[in-house]
Amino acid sequence: MTSGRPGFTLVETVLALAIAGMVSTLAFASLSAGLDTEQRVRRVSAAADDEARWRALSGDALRHITDATQPGRPALGIGPSSLEFRTTALGTPSGAGAAWRMRVSVQDSSAVLRATSEETGAVLVARMNGVTGILIRTQLLGASGQWQETWSSPSPPAVVRIDFVSTSGLMLPLVVATGLHR
């Protein structure tokens, strides 16, 4: 019987180090993939939250659109890729608050909603990223599906529709019944 020294041979040690290196490489790759996935999920979730917030604010503001404040001016100012109007939707429930000046436009690949309080001058800005253009159309009450891209009445239209041109493909339009049908 041969009596050897207790311990590991050089081959066993090299083999153990090689296996440990492969295991740590796989563990690092798995951790990196998990962290990358987490970051992507957070970005998508933040974009979805921004879009939901933008749509809720815009929809609420359009539902409480007011008549034009100056004679001869339309209730909605529609321009190329922009929309301006006055609303009472922000601040208090049921549209009973102070008036706000609203502007919807496209800037830096984002749909931007900018609200300015006529009472305090406070500014609220909401962004929906990934939007390169918008098309605004209106519809008269009882117009049987005929959309128009202009608005000249001092009273609000029955329905406002905002179609989005997106960098990521199809986005659902925002269609809002204003609620102030004359």
PDB file of all heavy atoms in Angstrom, residues 2 7 16 29 32 36 50 53 55 59 63 65 67 70 77 82 89 120 122 152 158 161 164-165:
ATOM      1  N   THR A   2       0.577   2.113  -0.890  1.00  0.00           N
ATOM      2  CA  THR A   2       1.372   3.331  -0.970  1.00  0.00           C
ATOM      3  C   THR A   2       0.783   4.402  -0.090  1.00  0.00           C
ATOM      4  O   THR A   2      -0.406   4.635  -0.079  1.00  0.00           O
ATOM      5  CB  THR A   2       1.407   3.872  -2.409  1.00  0.00           C
ATOM      6  OG1 THR A   2       0.244   3.531  -3.069  1.00  0.00           O
ATOM      7  CG2 THR A   2       2.633   3.512  -3.112  1.00  0.00           C
ATOM      8  N   GLY A   7      -3.929  15.599   0.328  1.00  0.00           N
ATOM      9  CA  GLY A   7      -4.097  16.806  -0.479  1.00  0.00           C
ATOM     10  C   GLY A   7      -4.540  16.455  -1.885  1.00  0.00           C
ATOM     11  O   GLY A   7      -4.897  15.322  -2.191  1.00  0.00           O
ATOM     12  N   ALA A  16     -10.602  21.523 -10.951  1.00  0.00           N
ATOM     13  CA  ALA A  16     -11.544  22.211 -10.060  1.00  0.00           C
ATOM     14  C   ALA A  16     -11.626  23.698 -10.403  1.00  0.00           C
ATOM     15  O   ALA A  16     -12.718  24.295 -10.424  1.00  0.00           O
ATOM     16  CB  ALA A  16     -11.127  22.024  -8.607  1.00  0.00           C
ATOM     17  N   ALA A  29     -23.340  35.494 -16.680  1.00  0.00           N
ATOM     18  CA  ALA A  29     -24.164  35.691 -17.879  1.00  0.00           C
ATOM     19  C   ALA A  29     -25.650  35.688 -17.527  1.00  0.00           C
ATOM     20  O   ALA A  29     -26.425  36.512 -18.026  1.00  0.00           O
ATOM     21  CB  ALA A  29     -23.856  34.615 -18.910  1.00  0.00           C
ATOM     22  N   SER A  32     -26.442  38.984 -15.707  1.00  0.00           N
ATOM     23  CA  SER A  32     -26.476  40.098 -16.671  1.00  0.00           C
ATOM     24  C   SER A  32     -27.755  40.069 -17.492  1.00  0.00           C
ATOM     25  O   SER A  32     -28.384  41.104 -17.709  1.00  0.00           O
ATOM     26  CB  SER A  32     -25.274  40.036 -17.612  1.00  0.00           C
ATOM     27  OG  SER A  32     -24.092  40.285 -16.906  1.00  0.00           O
ATOM     28  N   ASP A  36     -30.585  42.985 -17.529  1.00  0.00           N
ATOM     29  CA  ASP A  36     -30.987  43.615 -18.789  1.00  0.00           C
ATOM     30  C   ASP A  36     -32.495  43.497 -18.992  1.00  0.00           C
ATOM     31  O   ASP A  36     -33.153  44.450 -19.415  1.00  0.00           O
ATOM     32  CB  ASP A  36     -30.251  42.988 -19.969  1.00  0.00           C
ATOM     33  CG  ASP A  36     -28.776  43.350 -20.001  1.00  0.00           C
ATOM     34  OD1 ASP A  36     -28.373  44.294 -19.284  1.00  0.00           O
ATOM     35  OD2 ASP A  36     -28.025  42.681 -20.747  1.00  0.00           O
ATOM     36  N   ASP A  50     -46.648  56.388 -18.899  1.00  0.00           N
ATOM     37  CA  ASP A  50     -46.677  57.720 -19.506  1.00  0.00           C
ATOM     38  C   ASP A  50     -47.826  57.838 -20.498  1.00  0.00           C
ATOM     39  O   ASP A  50     -48.539  58.842 -20.530  1.00  0.00           O
ATOM     40  CB  ASP A  50     -45.359  58.036 -20.218  1.00  0.00           C
ATOM     41  CG  ASP A  50     -44.217  58.279 -19.262  1.00  0.00           C
ATOM     42  OD1 ASP A  50     -44.462  58.458 -18.052  1.00  0.00           O
ATOM     43  OD2 ASP A  50     -43.050  58.273 -19.725  1.00  0.00           O
ATOM     44  N   ARG A  53     -51.183  57.947 -18.611  1.00  0.00           N
ATOM     45  CA  ARG A  53     -51.348  59.255 -17.960  1.00  0.00           C
ATOM     46  C   ARG A  53     -51.697  60.321 -19.010  1.00  0.00           C
ATOM     47  O   ARG A  53     -52.586  61.143 -18.815  1.00  0.00           O
ATOM     48  CB  ARG A  53     -50.065  59.601 -17.212  1.00  0.00           C
ATOM     49  CG  ARG A  53     -50.135  60.805 -16.342  1.00  0.00           C
ATOM     50  CD  ARG A  53     -48.877  61.039 -15.498  1.00  0.00           C
ATOM     51  NE  ARG A  53     -47.682  60.318 -15.856  1.00  0.00           N
ATOM     52  CZ  ARG A  53     -47.256  59.194 -15.270  1.00  0.00           C
ATOM     53  NH1 ARG A  53     -47.934  58.663 -14.292  1.00  0.00           N
ATOM     54  NH2 ARG A  53     -46.140  58.602 -15.651  1.00  0.00           N
ATOM     55  N   ARG A  55     -53.059  59.908 -22.006  1.00  0.00           N
ATOM     56  CA  ARG A  55     -54.411  59.683 -22.535  1.00  0.00           C
ATOM     57  C   ARG A  55     -55.486  60.091 -21.531  1.00  0.00           C
ATOM     58  O   ARG A  55     -56.510  60.669 -21.908  1.00  0.00           O
ATOM     59  CB  ARG A  55     -54.583  58.223 -22.936  1.00  0.00           C
ATOM     60  CG  ARG A  55     -53.854  57.862 -24.213  1.00  0.00           C
ATOM     61  CD  ARG A  55     -53.998  56.371 -24.526  1.00  0.00           C
ATOM     62  NE  ARG A  55     -53.356  56.016 -25.760  1.00  0.00           N
ATOM     63  CZ  ARG A  55     -53.919  56.085 -26.967  1.00  0.00           C
ATOM     64  NH1 ARG A  55     -55.154  56.499 -27.076  1.00  0.00           N
ATOM     65  NH2 ARG A  55     -53.246  55.741 -28.041  1.00  0.00           N
ATOM     66  N   GLY A  59     -57.915  63.053 -22.477  1.00  0.00           N
ATOM     67  CA  GLY A  59     -59.329  62.700 -22.581  1.00  0.00           C
ATOM     68  C   GLY A  59     -60.186  63.504 -21.634  1.00  0.00           C
ATOM     69  O   GLY A  59     -61.249  64.014 -22.010  1.00  0.00           O
ATOM     70  N   ARG A  63     -63.040  66.247 -22.709  1.00  0.00           N
ATOM     71  CA  ARG A  63     -64.433  66.067 -22.283  1.00  0.00           C
ATOM     72  C   ARG A  63     -65.006  67.341 -21.663  1.00  0.00           C
ATOM     73  O   ARG A  63     -66.209  67.540 -21.662  1.00  0.00           O
ATOM     74  CB  ARG A  63     -64.536  64.918 -21.281  1.00  0.00           C
ATOM     75  CG  ARG A  63     -64.806  63.586 -21.920  1.00  0.00           C
ATOM     76  CD  ARG A  63     -65.100  62.514 -20.892  1.00  0.00           C
ATOM     77  NE  ARG A  63     -63.929  62.117 -20.125  1.00  0.00           N
ATOM     78  CZ  ARG A  63     -62.933  61.371 -20.586  1.00  0.00           C
ATOM     79  NH1 ARG A  63     -62.956  60.956 -21.821  1.00  0.00           N
ATOM     80  NH2 ARG A  63     -61.926  61.042 -19.828  1.00  0.00           N
ATOM     81  N   ILE A  65     -64.058  70.576 -22.511  1.00  0.00           N
ATOM     82  CA  ILE A  65     -63.654  71.712 -23.323  1.00  0.00           C
ATOM     83  C   ILE A  65     -64.721  72.809 -23.210  1.00  0.00           C
ATOM     84  O   ILE A  65     -65.900  72.527 -23.069  1.00  0.00           O
ATOM     85  CB  ILE A  65     -63.442  71.267 -24.785  1.00  0.00           C
ATOM     86  CG1 ILE A  65     -62.749  72.335 -25.587  1.00  0.00           C
ATOM     87  CG2 ILE A  65     -64.721  70.841 -25.425  1.00  0.00           C
ATOM     88  CD1 ILE A  65     -62.315  71.849 -26.959  1.00  0.00           C
ATOM     89  N   ASP A  67     -66.377  76.786 -24.434  1.00  0.00           N
ATOM     90  CA  ASP A  67     -66.559  77.646 -25.602  1.00  0.00           C
ATOM     91  C   ASP A  67     -65.370  78.588 -25.723  1.00  0.00           C
ATOM     92  O   ASP A  67     -64.648  78.828 -24.758  1.00  0.00           O
ATOM     93  CB  ASP A  67     -67.836  78.471 -25.466  1.00  0.00           C
ATOM     94  CG  ASP A  67     -69.094  77.624 -25.620  1.00  0.00           C
ATOM     95  OD1 ASP A  67     -68.992  76.492 -26.120  1.00  0.00           O
ATOM     96  OD2 ASP A  67     -70.164  78.104 -25.225  1.00  0.00           O
ATOM     97  N   GLN A  70     -63.123  84.413 -26.894  1.00  0.00           N
ATOM     98  CA  GLN A  70     -63.209  85.624 -27.704  1.00  0.00           C
ATOM     99  C   GLN A  70     -64.164  85.387 -28.872  1.00  0.00           C
ATOM    100  O   GLN A  70     -64.092  84.358 -29.529  1.00  0.00           O
ATOM    101  CB  GLN A  70     -61.827  86.011 -28.241  1.00  0.00           C
ATOM    102  CG  GLN A  70     -60.841  86.325 -27.149  1.00  0.00           C
ATOM    103  CD  GLN A  70     -59.431  86.490 -27.708  1.00  0.00           C
ATOM    104  OE1 GLN A  70     -59.151  86.123 -28.828  1.00  0.00           O
ATOM    105  NE2 GLN A  70     -58.553  87.051 -26.890  1.00  0.00           N
ATOM    106  N   GLY A  77     -58.323  75.223 -31.677  1.00  0.00           N
ATOM    107  CA  GLY A  77     -57.359  75.710 -32.656  1.00  0.00           C
ATOM    108  C   GLY A  77     -56.591  74.518 -33.186  1.00  0.00           C
ATOM    109  O   GLY A  77     -55.807  73.913 -32.465  1.00  0.00           O
ATOM    110  N   SER A  82     -50.881  69.992 -34.185  1.00  0.00           N
ATOM    111  CA  SER A  82     -51.104  70.671 -32.903  1.00  0.00           C
ATOM    112  C   SER A  82     -52.589  70.918 -32.691  1.00  0.00           C
ATOM    113  O   SER A  82     -53.373  70.951 -33.627  1.00  0.00           O
ATOM    114  CB  SER A  82     -50.327  71.988 -32.840  1.00  0.00           C
ATOM    115  OG  SER A  82     -50.891  72.931 -33.722  1.00  0.00           O
ATOM    116  N   ALA A  89     -61.220  71.009 -16.829  1.00  0.00           N
ATOM    117  CA  ALA A  89     -61.145  69.637 -16.309  1.00  0.00           C
ATOM    118  C   ALA A  89     -60.136  69.445 -15.197  1.00  0.00           C
ATOM    119  O   ALA A  89     -60.275  68.552 -14.396  1.00  0.00           O
ATOM    120  CB  ALA A  89     -60.814  68.683 -17.436  1.00  0.00           C
ATOM    121  N   THR A 120     -53.551  80.669 -11.916  1.00  0.00           N
ATOM    122  CA  THR A 120     -52.288  80.742 -11.168  1.00  0.00           C
ATOM    123  C   THR A 120     -51.045  80.754 -12.050  1.00  0.00           C
ATOM    124  O   THR A 120     -49.957  81.033 -11.556  1.00  0.00           O
ATOM    125  CB  THR A 120     -52.160  79.533 -10.214  1.00  0.00           C
ATOM    126  OG1 THR A 120     -52.079  78.341 -10.997  1.00  0.00           O
ATOM    127  CG2 THR A 120     -53.332  79.471  -9.252  1.00  0.00           C
ATOM    128  N   ALA A 122     -49.751  78.098 -13.198  1.00  0.00           N
ATOM    129  CA  ALA A 122     -49.095  76.796 -13.018  1.00  0.00           C
ATOM    130  C   ALA A 122     -49.084  76.042 -14.341  1.00  0.00           C
ATOM    131  O   ALA A 122     -50.007  76.166 -15.144  1.00  0.00           O
ATOM    132  CB  ALA A 122     -49.825  75.977 -11.958  1.00  0.00           C
ATOM    133  N   SER A 152     -64.204  75.589 -36.940  1.00  0.00           N
ATOM    134  CA  SER A 152     -64.327  77.048 -36.965  1.00  0.00           C
ATOM    135  C   SER A 152     -65.388  77.578 -36.019  1.00  0.00           C
ATOM    136  O   SER A 152     -65.514  78.785 -35.845  1.00  0.00           O
ATOM    137  CB  SER A 152     -64.622  77.515 -38.394  1.00  0.00           C
ATOM    138  OG  SER A 152     -65.805  76.893 -38.864  1.00  0.00           O
ATOM    139  N   ALA A 158     -68.711  67.753 -31.266  1.00  0.00           N
ATOM    140  CA  ALA A 158     -69.281  66.645 -30.504  1.00  0.00           C
ATOM    141  C   ALA A 158     -68.209  65.617 -30.160  1.00  0.00           C
ATOM    142  O   ALA A 158     -68.204  65.047 -29.075  1.00  0.00           O
ATOM    143  CB  ALA A 158     -70.407  65.983 -31.302  1.00  0.00           C
ATOM    144  N   ARG A 161     -60.980  63.458 -32.350  1.00  0.00           N
ATOM    145  CA  ARG A 161     -60.184  62.241 -32.552  1.00  0.00           C
ATOM    146  C   ARG A 161     -58.739  62.659 -32.823  1.00  0.00           C
ATOM    147  O   ARG A 161     -58.485  63.509 -33.667  1.00  0.00           O
ATOM    148  CB  ARG A 161     -60.717  61.447 -33.730  1.00  0.00           C
ATOM    149  CG  ARG A 161     -59.886  60.218 -34.054  1.00  0.00           C
ATOM    150  CD  ARG A 161     -60.417  59.493 -35.266  1.00  0.00           C
ATOM    151  NE  ARG A 161     -59.550  58.380 -35.594  1.00  0.00           N
ATOM    152  CZ  ARG A 161     -59.963  57.152 -35.806  1.00  0.00           C
ATOM    153  NH1 ARG A 161     -61.240  56.863 -35.745  1.00  0.00           N
ATOM    154  NH2 ARG A 161     -59.103  56.198 -36.102  1.00  0.00           N
ATOM    155  N   PHE A 164     -52.336  58.966 -33.980  1.00  0.00           N
ATOM    156  CA  PHE A 164     -50.904  59.094 -33.712  1.00  0.00           C
ATOM    157  C   PHE A 164     -50.082  58.412 -34.799  1.00  0.00           C
ATOM    158  O   PHE A 164     -50.397  57.310 -35.206  1.00  0.00           O
ATOM    159  CB  PHE A 164     -50.558  58.452 -32.366  1.00  0.00           C
ATOM    160  CG  PHE A 164     -51.326  59.029 -31.221  1.00  0.00           C
ATOM    161  CD1 PHE A 164     -52.476  58.420 -30.766  1.00  0.00           C
ATOM    162  CD2 PHE A 164     -50.904  60.199 -30.605  1.00  0.00           C
ATOM    163  CE1 PHE A 164     -53.197  58.955 -29.708  1.00  0.00           C
ATOM    164  CE2 PHE A 164     -51.615  60.740 -29.557  1.00  0.00           C
ATOM    165  CZ  PHE A 164     -52.764  60.114 -29.111  1.00  0.00           C
ATOM    166  N   VAL A 165     -49.026  59.076 -35.239  1.00  0.00           N
ATOM    167  CA  VAL A 165     -48.016  58.466 -36.091  1.00  0.00           C
ATOM    168  C   VAL A 165     -46.901  58.060 -35.133  1.00  0.00           C
ATOM    169  O   VAL A 165     -46.368  58.899 -34.408  1.00  0.00           O
ATOM    170  CB  VAL A 165     -47.496  59.458 -37.152  1.00  0.00           C
ATOM    171  CG1 VAL A 165     -46.413  58.804 -37.990  1.00  0.00           C
ATOM    172  CG2 VAL A 165     -48.640  59.961 -38.014  1.00  0.00           C
TER     173      VAL A 165
END
